[in-house]
Amino acid sequence: MAGISSIGVVGAGQMGAGIAQLAAVHGVDVYLYDADFEALKRAHKSISSNIQRLVSKGQLCQERGEDAIKRLKGSQDLEGLQSVDIVIEAIVESEDVKKKMFVDLDKIVKSSAILASNTSSISITRLASATSRPRQVIGMHFMNPPPIMKLVEIIRGTDTSDDTYNITKCLAERFGKTIVCSQDYAGFIVNRILMPMINEAFYTLYNGVATKEDIDTGMKLGTKHPMGPLELADFIGLDVCLAILKVLFTGLGDMKYAPCPLLVQYVDAGRLGRKRGIGVYEYRLDPRGIKGLPRL
């Protein structure tokens, strides 16, 4: 795609690392930023391992895999992003934290660069208002995990230009993604529909209607979902689900988005899901040190 030869990814967590991997595999130079050096190390190890696995399975040729790893550069200095064509922010789902990051990025990256957020619920218009370039700010919401999931949800803020939208759409398509476009309302498309279902699953458990296993089995076999809503919440992160529900409740003012007390209690207890080894379910480490297998 003309115009985009390098991207910056802010945040080396699961989403940021996945986006960085996706871009590198598709021939884009990637500058992955995180203030935490250990997070950068984990991300580089994970990306290298995933690429090597794709090569071993014949899903990626050796040459392209080696090229992808060479395209990835980690940095603890935001100044390293000053020459990129687009920055994709993938940090904590907090409007205040994201706004602060956008203020910093606006001062650092070149004037023509696009600032995109991987937010799953927060207003793009309000994030854009923290910058001097609201026409170049857009939402680019990847599904988890980014290298596997086919969808990218693009969100236009009030002032997002057609050029910014078209460039972002073309980049997502270059990554092999299908695009849906949402207006800038709380939760956008996917989470506005998904989070009430997850919340209702928590209420179903909270009210003693059924066990967690029966709730998830009912939804998997009864509605052909690949993962039950409680298991999915653990995969997303219960803290992330709670944060999104709070945005929905505040932004739309409807009680159906009020977070279930059980979800709040689990988050308060640090039961955040697979990433912590315990959420609705408990998880064990597999022999390779990868979290996320249900405890038998």
Side-chain angles (χ1 to χ4, degrees), residues 153-157 165 180-190:
E153 188 176 35
I154 294 179
I155 306 95
R156 297 184 67 153
Y165 170 75
V180 294
C181 184
S182 173
Q183 297 303 308
D184 191 19
Y185 294 103
F188 316 134
I189 300 169
V190 175

Side-chain angles (χ1 to χ4, degrees), residues 32-52:
L32 179 61
Y33 164 83
D34 201 295
D36 183 350
F37 180 66
E38 291 302 317
L40 286 171
K41 282 175 59 179
R42 287 192 299 270
H44 192 275
K45 181 178 179 181
S46 172
I47 293 167
S48 298
S49 176
N50 290 340
I51 289 174
Q52 288 165 7

Side-chain angles (χ1 to χ4, degrees), residues 184-197:
D184 191 19
Y185 294 103
F188 316 134
I189 300 169
V190 175
N191 280 324
R192 184 164 179 170
I193 296 168
L194 174 63
M195 286 301 151
M197 182 186 74

Side-chain angles (χ1 to χ4, degrees), residues 46-96:
S46 172
I47 293 167
S48 298
S49 176
N50 290 340
I51 289 174
Q52 288 165 7
R53 190 175 299 116
L54 291 173
V55 171
S56 68
K57 290 181 177 180
Q59 297 173 357
L60 194 68
C61 70
Q62 182 74 35
E63 183 179 1
R64 190 171 165 192
E66 291 174 355
D67 177 69
I69 293 172
K70 289 177 183 176
R71 288 183 180 275
L72 181 65
K73 295 178 176 63
S75 176
Q76 289 180 272
D77 185 359
L78 271 183
E79 296 288 341
L81 307 181
Q82 59 186 333
S83 63
V84 300
D85 300 312
I86 182 171
V87 177
I88 303 173
E89 166 272 311
I91 58 176
V92 62
E93 192 71 358
S94 161
E95 183 172 334
D96 290 342

